[in-house]
Amino acid sequence: MALRRSILVLAALLSARAAGAHNVPVLPSTCAFDPLEVDAPASGVAATAPPSNAPDGVHTTYDMQDQTAQFTLQSDAARPFVAGGTASMLELPSFFVALLRSTGARSGSTGEFIVPDLPLGFTVGGAALTLPMTLTTGLTAVPGLVLEGSPRDANGRYTLVGVVQQSGLPSPLGGVLVVRASCQATPVPDKDQFRRSTDSVVVSAGVTSKTLTMRVLFAPNPDEVLDFPGKPAIFRASTGGVTIGAGAVLGGLRQRGRRLFVASSDDRLLSMGVRFVRRRFQIDNYLLAVKLRAPVLPAPAGTPVAVQTSYAAGGLLGRSTDNFRVKAHGKRLAFP
């Protein structure tokens, strides 16, 4: 019954997708990447570059036909910072392009930016290296670490995040390296004109101190090319910015028969599966199943609890925010 109701909700979202697109120019915007942060978890070093001298130093133009955003840096492409007492610098390209995507759920749609393989120039204590890194407002991961950016909010603010497992940089920025860049776009770009890649509806979910389980019905845009075995599968649940649980199957989901893809993470904390459900109105529907061990239950502060869930599978990103009921005196959360 829950799946049938969710199929009806997903059908309504798909109808809104077709009917809700705007057809007005999206004006160029400006921002400054502030804060611009560099984090090396292995050494415990985290640094923030000083604020940009030009609050409008980054100009962004939007091409809705190609579904891209073109970033041009007018100033402050090279940003100095101090990492563990070592004078360092991060240099951004003066021009780069981001893909524009959006996700849909009961809680509304999001505006996502993805910058593939951005060449970032690092100088650490006199040693220079160019490091390609994909920055995204969605999910990214390396072994033992799941990161999430922030999609465009009502005020035009979003945060891009990227990570590499081995930076090749000298100490203290060797090993895993994380970069975060936040932007306050003015004027605010119209996310409803971003390409809608995925619509999602949470079918059922529960959280205890032992496990988090969830089933999500999702429908990708028919133009999306899905690659469940070739793309990482990542999941994160949070509330109020605090992580309840997260995990990643970096090797992707293995195919089991014609319609099923399943796998578990190397640490066995996360199991994910995707099953084809049906095709309707030329759109495929899939069911995502998640089991995550050892989540952290939030301290009970009344009911309901707004839980944000994000997943990546097959190259897709999905998001949803749903109200969970507090049960058993705060020892369990349940949806619906």
Side-chain angles (χ1 to χ4, degrees):
M1 183 65 70
L3 180 59
R4 183 176 299 176
R5 288 197 303 265
S6 298
I7 287 174
L8 293 175
V9 173
L10 187 60
L13 287 173
L14 297 174
S15 298
R17 175 200 294 182
H22 300 169
N23 188 22
V24 296
V26 177
L27 298 176
S29 59
T30 61
C31 77
F33 287 132
D34 183 24
L36 182 59
E37 302 168 299
V38 179
D39 182 12
S43 62
V45 169
T48 301
S52 171
N53 293 323
D56 61 349
V58 181
H59 287 205
T60 309
T61 57
Y62 303 92
D63 186 332
M64 290 305 157
Q65 182 173 354
D66 289 341
Q67 287 294 296
T68 58
Q70 300 164 7
F71 290 79
T72 304
L73 273 65
Q74 306 293 324
S75 62
D76 295 333
R79 302 282 292 275
F81 63 95
V82 177
T86 301
S88 307
M89 183 173 294
L90 170 57
E91 185 168 2
L92 297 160
S94 59
F95 177 84
F96 58 91
V97 176
L99 306 176
L100 301 177
R101 297 292 183 265
S102 73
T103 70
R106 301 178 212 243
S107 48
S109 64
T110 67
E112 312 284 348
F113 295 79
I114 305 103
V115 187
D117 296 325
L118 182 66
L120 299 176
F122 287 90
T123 302
V124 182
L129 179 69
T130 298
L131 185 63
M133 184 181 293
T134 294
L135 300 183
T136 177
T137 55
L139 293 165
T140 187
V142 294
L145 182 63
V146 172
L147 299 165
E148 184 173 10
S150 300
R152 194 228 77 179
D153 66 15
N155 297 317
R157 188 167 187 81
Y158 59 90
T159 298
L160 297 160
V161 64
V163 63
V164 293
Q165 185 174 355
Q166 290 293 335
S167 70
L169 292 169
S171 179
L173 297 183
V176 174
L177 189 69
V178 178
V179 172
R180 293 182 181 86
S182 296
C183 175
Q184 180 84 45
T186 306
V188 180
D190 180 10
K191 65 178 173 59
D192 290 335
Q193 293 197 60
F194 289 19
R195 173 176 165 174
R196 188 77 154 259
S197 60
T198 316
D199 286 285
S200 305
V201 176
V202 175
V203 177
S204 62
V207 188
T208 70
S209 60
K210 292 183 178 181
T211 58
L212 179 155
T213 58
M214 179 170 285
R215 294 195 305 158
V216 180
L217 187 69
F218 71 91
N221 188 305
D223 294 332
E224 295 287 348
V225 178
L226 305 184
D227 185 5
F228 295 117
K231 298 292 185 180
I234 310 172
F235 177 82
R236 179 174 182 259
S238 62
T239 181
V242 178
T243 299
I244 296 174
V249 184
L250 297 176
L253 303 178
R254 294 185 294 273
Q255 188 163 3
R256 294 288 185 267
R258 293 178 55 239
R259 298 186 173 188
L260 179 64
F261 299 84
V262 296
S264 296
S265 59
D266 291 340
D267 57 14
R268 314 304 294 179
L269 290 178
L270 175 68
S271 298
M272 289 180 67
V274 172
R275 176 172 62 86
F276 174 81
V277 176
R278 69 180 197 175
R279 182 175 178 84
R280 188 178 185 187
F281 304 128
Q282 306 302 311
I283 296 175
D284 292 334
N285 290 191
Y286 294 85
L287 187 65
L288 169 71
V290 176
K291 183 176 182 180
L292 183 70
R293 293 172 176 81
V296 178
L297 274 168
T303 187
V305 175
V307 175
Q308 296 82 40
T309 53
S310 306
Y311 67 88
L316 297 173
L317 172 68
R319 295 186 188 271
S320 186
T321 299
D322 300 275
N323 288 327
F324 281 55
R325 291 173 289 123
V326 178
K327 307 191 76 174
H329 305 288
K331 296 181 180 179
R332 185 162 68 94
L333 301 180
F335 177 89

